[in-house]
Amino acid sequence: MAKKNINEMSFLDHLEDLRWHLIRICLAVIIVAALAYTFSRFIFDDIIFAPLEMSFPTYEFLCNAGKLLNVETSFCNDRIPLILQNRTMAGQFSADIWTAILAGFIISFPYIIYQLWSFISPGLHENERKHSRGFIIICSFLFFLGALFGYYIITPLSINFLANYSISTKVDNQIDISSFIGLVRSSVLASGLIFELPIVIYFLTKIGLVTPEVLKKYRKFALVIVLILSAIITPPDIASQVIVAIPILILYQVSIYISKIVVRNQLKKESQALTK
């Protein structure tokens, strides 16, 4: 059966179309998750648990930086003072399943964006679709860049700080596996989604909810929000918060520039329409 024209589709037709896009997304995540499950030992030992080793690239870089600046730092310690444990019968199995699903979502992200874009794009004008062909690539690039930032920056900083934080020598850090994986998961996903800020601003500007002037006017408030957000997703030390805040502020500035381009193009189209 041929797909109906966008102008001929009713509200229920749109819902049916959305349902099939969501089904394809779920199937993609499940299939990739099943493949990831077969490589679970590699995912856990070489990816998720890698920040527990002092040979992790972030620790080595910060250790060398500390030596260069003649500053004593915990990044040069022999080991992370942390022991992982499982305290429930199904704990390791649940961790394996949910980690596979998370891997399925991350790896399938470009396809997820493609399906969502396929649902949205028929409602756009031809020239808008033409100028937005790189949307999937840009959106995927920002997400993976953010995920890498979360994995190589936020995760090791959080682990190192929290593992070395102690209220007494009588207390050992014996962390449940679900708590540790939750920290890694939230750091990676939160960073990946935060890096989508320019994309969000682009669409908000397109529909008229945001303008460059508004973004500039509330820049100070945005700075406060960024600092609060940095404090939430990072350990409570100033250095980590600054490291996280810098790329977010850069993304905010990029978003202002993108908003300017969108508004400029809209004004250009309006002037061309008036001259015809």
Side-chain angles (χ1 to χ4, degrees), residues 26-85:
C26 291
L27 286 175
V29 172
I30 291 172
I31 291 172
V32 178
L35 293 174
Y37 182 79
T38 63
F39 295 95
S40 62
R41 182 60 63 88
F42 168 79
I43 292 175
F44 279 102
D45 289 344
D46 296 335
I47 299 179
I48 294 179
F49 296 149
L52 290 174
E53 303 295 332
M54 296 308 298
S55 58
F56 195 69
T58 305
Y59 300 143
E60 291 186 342
F61 174 80
L62 293 175
C63 176
N64 293 330
K67 291 179 179 178
L68 184 64
L69 298 173
N70 198 25
V71 175
E72 186 176 348
T73 173
S74 60
F75 296 111
C76 296
N77 293 347
D78 295 331
R79 57 180 291 272
I80 298 286
L82 182 152
I83 298 175
L84 290 183
Q85 60 178 347

Side-chain angles (χ1 to χ4, degrees), residues 173-188:
N173 284 326
Q174 298 182 4
I175 310 301
D176 189 77
I177 187 174
S178 61
S179 176
F180 179 84
I181 295 176
L183 185 147
V184 177
R185 178 179 62 243
S186 60
S187 299
V188 172

Side-chain angles (χ1 to χ4, degrees), residues 40 59 61 72 100-101 138 141 220 222 228 244 247 259 266 272:
S40 62
Y59 300 143
F61 174 80
E72 186 176 348
I101 294 174
I138 296 173
F141 172 77
K220 295 180 180 179
I228 294 174
V244 173
S259 183
Q266 289 177 338
Q272 289 176 348

Side-chain angles (χ1 to χ4, degrees), residues 86-107:
N86 174 54
R87 296 181 297 174
T88 59
M89 287 296 294
Q92 295 196 54
F93 177 73
S94 297
D96 207 359
I97 295 297
W98 284 109
T99 300
I101 294 174
L102 173 64
F105 174 82
I106 293 175
I107 298 172

Side-chain angles (χ1 to χ4, degrees), residues 2-244:
K3 189 173 181 179
K4 293 182 180 180
N5 185 279
I6 185 69
N7 296 321
E8 299 175 353
M9 295 175 67
S10 65
F11 177 72
L12 292 178
D13 290 330
H14 284 293
L15 286 181
E16 177 68 11
D17 189 34
L18 177 61
R19 183 174 75 92
W20 279 107
H21 285 294
L22 294 177
I23 288 175
R24 294 188 191 101
I25 289 173
C26 291
L27 286 175
V29 172
I30 291 172
I31 291 172
V32 178
L35 293 174
Y37 182 79
T38 63
F39 295 95
S40 62
R41 182 60 63 88
F42 168 79
I43 292 175
F44 279 102
D45 289 344
D46 296 335
I47 299 179
I48 294 179
F49 296 149
L52 290 174
E53 303 295 332
M54 296 308 298
S55 58
F56 195 69
T58 305
Y59 300 143
E60 291 186 342
F61 174 80
L62 293 175
C63 176
N64 293 330
K67 291 179 179 178
L68 184 64
L69 298 173
N70 198 25
V71 175
E72 186 176 348
T73 173
S74 60
F75 296 111
C76 296
N77 293 347
D78 295 331
R79 57 180 291 272
I80 298 286
L82 182 152
I83 298 175
L84 290 183
Q85 60 178 347
N86 174 54
R87 296 181 297 174
T88 59
M89 287 296 294
Q92 295 196 54
F93 177 73
S94 297
D96 207 359
I97 295 297
W98 284 109
T99 300
I101 294 174
L102 173 64
F105 174 82
I106 293 175
I107 298 172
S108 302
F109 189 79
Y111 182 77
I112 294 172
I113 294 299
Y114 168 75
Q115 287 297 325
L116 295 177
W117 181 249
S118 297
F119 175 73
I120 297 172
S121 59
L124 301 177
H125 296 293
E126 179 61 31
N127 59 338
E128 290 178 327
R129 288 197 296 269
K130 180 180 178 182
H131 292 297
S132 303
R133 287 174 181 172
F135 169 78
I136 298 173
I137 296 175
I138 296 173
C139 194
S140 300
F141 172 77
L142 289 174
F143 177 79
F144 288 129
L145 184 64
L148 290 173
F149 178 81
Y151 178 71
Y152 282 104
I153 303 298
I154 297 179
T155 297
L157 288 178
S158 300
I159 292 173
N160 185 269
F161 175 84
L162 296 174
N164 284 283
Y165 189 88
S166 176
I167 58 174
S168 173
T169 56
K170 296 181 179 180
V171 181
D172 293 328
N173 284 326
Q174 298 182 4
I175 310 301
D176 189 77
I177 187 174
S178 61
S179 176
F180 179 84
I181 295 176
L183 185 147
V184 177
R185 178 179 62 243
S186 60
S187 299
V188 172
L189 284 181
S191 299
L193 295 177
I194 288 173
F195 271 59
E196 296 294 330
L197 179 62
I199 302 296
V200 175
I201 295 299
Y202 171 82
F203 281 105
L204 291 179
T205 305
K206 288 286 289 185
I207 61 178
L209 293 180
V210 169
T211 63
E213 290 72 24
V214 170
L215 293 175
K216 291 179 180 178
K217 180 180 179 181
Y218 294 101
R219 195 199 309 263
K220 295 180 180 179
F221 297 99
L223 175 60
V224 174
I225 294 174
V226 166
L227 293 176
I228 294 174
L229 187 62
S230 302
I232 292 174
I233 64 177
T234 61
D237 64 282
I238 300 300
S240 299
Q241 293 175 20
V242 170
I243 291 174
V244 173

